[in-house]
Amino acid sequence: MNYKTPVLGRRTFLKQASIVGLTLPAFQILALSGCAQQAKSGTQDSIAALSTPPGVSWKAVVVSDKEPGEPLIVSGIVYAPDGITPVEGIALHIHQTDATGHYSTSGGENRNTRINGWMRTNAEGRYEFRTIKPASYPGRRFPAHIHVYLSGPSYPEYWTDDFLFDDDPLVTTQERQRVPASGNFSHILKLERDSEGILRGRRDFKLERCSRNCTGR
């Protein structure tokens, strides 16, 4: 089993990565600007920007209704860096563990794990995906999470803070203190059940611009 990047806020993770340096796997070293550097060779191939499939909708159904686990729908709006202007045509790629905390690999390793999906924001900047609530890694102290990457015109692909869940006891106090007044921009989702018993959560994004060491898609 190949586990992914430890679940930390992206900036917290990058700070710690700068301390431990070469003890981290190569695929975990990301640009400090917030945009993942293009992979060049070797182990870094695993984080190379993926090409967005054609015809991607703003809504994605990531798993079938037969997938074990609690059904979950996540939605939101992607805004320009001003946090006000919705942006059309932004691609989101998500991947996650299954209900047992494992990355099923019928589709390949790393970001091509079985439970993964693409969306592209509509004219109102909206996205939505239906999946199941993931489980945390067995025997480890990382909270359950969903990885997410964003990209679009003028926004080379970058990794941002994972989706976490407010009711997860493994979410640390330090992590919660980072987002006390973030509102819908918080990466820690407060889930509610709708009339059909499906968990729902919202997260909006403010796009980040590359400041250095970034290459276009």
Side-chain angles (χ1 to χ4, degrees), residues 168-180 188:
D168 190 333
L170 294 177
V171 178
T172 65
T173 299
Q174 179 184 17
E175 188 73 21
R176 295 179 189 278
Q177 288 175 341
R178 289 205 308 120
V179 290
I188 303 177

Side-chain angles (χ1 to χ4, degrees), residues 35-178:
C35 298
Q37 295 188 41
Q38 288 280 340
K40 294 184 177 12
S41 62
T43 310
Q44 286 186 329
D45 287 344
S46 63
I47 64 162
L50 299 182
S51 296
T52 309
V56 172
S57 171
W58 69 280
K59 281 188 177 183
V61 178
V62 180
V63 297
S64 76
D65 57 7
K66 300 185 184 301
E67 180 72 28
E70 289 194 276
L72 169 66
I73 295 176
V74 178
S75 61
I77 299 175
V78 177
Y79 293 96
D82 62 11
I84 298 171
T85 309
V87 181
E88 182 178 7
I90 297 297
L92 295 87
H93 182 248
I94 60 100
H95 71 281
Q96 64 175 85
T97 64
D98 59 23
T100 69
H102 293 90
Y103 290 97
S104 311
T105 56
S106 62
E109 297 293 335
N110 298 314
R111 289 177 58 189
N112 289 315
T113 52
R114 181 174 64 84
I115 302 182
N116 79 90
W118 287 94
M119 294 136 277
R120 193 187 298 277
T121 55
N122 66 11
E124 291 77 43
R126 296 187 179 278
Y127 76 91
E128 180 179 298
F129 62 94
R130 178 167 180 148
T131 184
I132 53 100
K133 188 179 182 183
S136 58
Y137 302 146
R140 304 184 75 181
R141 297 292 296 172
F142 299 133
H145 57 283
I146 299 174
H147 299 289
V148 57
Y149 295 75
L150 292 89
S151 62
S154 301
Y155 298 96
E157 184 177 75
Y158 67 95
W159 162 55
T160 191
D161 293 331
D162 300 328
F163 292 90
L164 303 181
F165 305 100
D166 186 63
D167 62 352
D168 190 333
L170 294 177
V171 178
T172 65
T173 299
Q174 179 184 17
E175 188 73 21
R176 295 179 189 278
Q177 288 175 341
R178 289 205 308 120

